[in-house]
Amino acid sequence: MLLGVNIDHVATLRQARYALLPDSPNAEPSPMQAALDAMSGGADSITIHVRGDRRHMQDRDAFEIRKGCPLPLNLEMGVTAEMTELALAIGPEFACLVPETREEVTTEGGLDVAGRLTEVADCVKALQARDIRVSLFIDPDLHQIEAAQATGAEMVELHTGCFANATGDGLEAELSRLIEAAKAGHAAGIQVNAGHGINYDNLSRLFVVPHLAELNIGHSIVSRAMRVGFTAAVKEMKDLMAAYPSE
Ligand code: PXP
């Protein structure tokens, strides 16, 4: 199972102080350095989300990381003409299409692929035409899996936010949804990834979900990095992930 490390919140911390001083020589911490540290810790790819409101990652970060970090880059992006143009200019290995609203604290739900089929399919095609492999961030819902297949996307990322917040019977229900969605995605020939809200404690509960190729994890790794450093935080997560049953 591969680990994509989402480093958005390194940029969040920098922007908290330097949003209005983008050219300051003092601007820190550096997302580029975090990408390299994540690589040293065993990350398989780096994930960044350039949001429409540029609240954390800036365009400049994306170009720098693309150029300076040898790991594959996964660009999370809204389904908009602006972001498609930016993605084509950056040229990441992967793009993950996500819903985006300005008010949300973070991505709050999956992309409604079924409800936006033509728009999403057009975006997928534009990216694939430039050799960018596309993932769709969706709720673990069979009808979204079917829609994802119809767009021609190579991958889905199952939204684990509800799983991460659930307890008791709710947790069992969320795991069942994830298991069914993972089986359906795999049967449809789609690579199944997962992400959102995964941390060092809840990770192992996800291990009952089959066919997971990659997890995208951000907030918990950045938080842990404050205590142990970025490289060690990534390595700890990778070590825990090694217990995922292989197929
Ligand atoms: N996957 C997607 C599509 C996301 O939008 C995010 C949050 O930016 C993540 C994974 C990572 O979530 P977290 O920061 O909760 O680990």
Side-chain angles (χ1 to χ4, degrees):
M1 183 197 261
L2 302 177
L3 171 61
V5 176
N6 181 315
I7 57 171
D8 288 346
H9 294 314
V10 177
T12 302
L13 183 54
R14 180 196 59 199
Q15 295 306 102
R17 175 64 65 94
Y18 291 101
L20 300 178
L21 296 167
D23 296 319
S24 167
N26 302 325
E28 61 182 2
S30 156
M32 176 67 210
Q33 187 60 55
L36 296 174
D37 291 346
M39 183 169 76
S40 303
D44 297 289
S45 58
I46 299 297
T47 298
I48 61 173
H49 185 179
V50 179
R51 296 183 71 101
D53 62 9
R54 305 303 194 273
R55 69 174 70 157
H56 38 55
M57 285 293 168
Q58 308 298 301
D59 300 28
R60 186 202 282 187
D61 295 315
F63 286 104
E64 267 178 28
I65 292 166
R66 181 75 189 99
K67 195 162 168 234
C69 178
L71 286 181
L73 179 64
N74 175 29
L75 181 72
E76 284 182 15
M77 53 180 274
V79 186
T80 64
E82 182 204 6
M83 286 304 153
T84 305
E85 198 181 311
L86 183 63
L88 296 180
I90 296 167
E93 275 78 6
F94 313 115
C96 179
L97 305 188
V98 301
E100 208 181 288
T101 59
R102 279 180 188 263
E103 306 73 38
E104 67 193 359
V105 175
T106 179
T107 314
E108 280 168 0
L111 183 66
D112 181 11
V113 181
R116 299 172 64 185
L117 197 58
T118 308
E119 197 190 346
V120 174
D122 287 349
C123 184
V124 169
K125 281 191 194 72
L127 295 166
Q128 288 175 335
R130 297 277 284 276
D131 293 329
I132 300 170
R133 296 183 70 216
V134 185
S135 174
L136 304 178
F137 184 57
I138 55 170
D139 290 331
D141 176 335
L142 296 184
H143 128 116
Q144 295 294 349
I145 296 271
E146 269 171 39
Q149 188 183 19
T151 67
E154 291 93 344
M155 301 173 276
V156 291
E157 180 174 325
L158 300 178
H159 188 321
T160 47
C162 292
F163 149 81
N165 291 324
T167 51
D169 289 349
L171 176 60
E172 290 311 312
E174 286 306 325
L175 283 170
S176 301
R177 289 177 72 203
L178 287 164
I179 290 168
E180 292 316 310
K183 285 182 181 167
H186 183 72
I190 301 172
Q191 177 176 318
V192 181
N193 304 329
H196 215 283
I198 300 171
N199 61 33
Y200 296 85
D201 294 325
N202 64 25
L203 170 73
S204 63
R205 283 183 219 128
L206 261 189
F207 290 176
V208 294
V209 180
H211 312 305
L212 295 178
E214 181 182 295
L215 300 182
N216 272 299
I217 309 180
H219 192 271
S220 67
I221 291 179
V222 175
S223 304
R224 179 79 182 141
M226 296 207 176
R227 299 196 61 201
V228 301
F230 216 90
T231 300
V234 171
K235 185 170 184 316
E236 284 178 16
M237 190 60 88
K238 263 300 267 199
D239 288 349
L240 292 174
M241 286 168 64
Y244 181 66
S246 51
E247 305 246 310

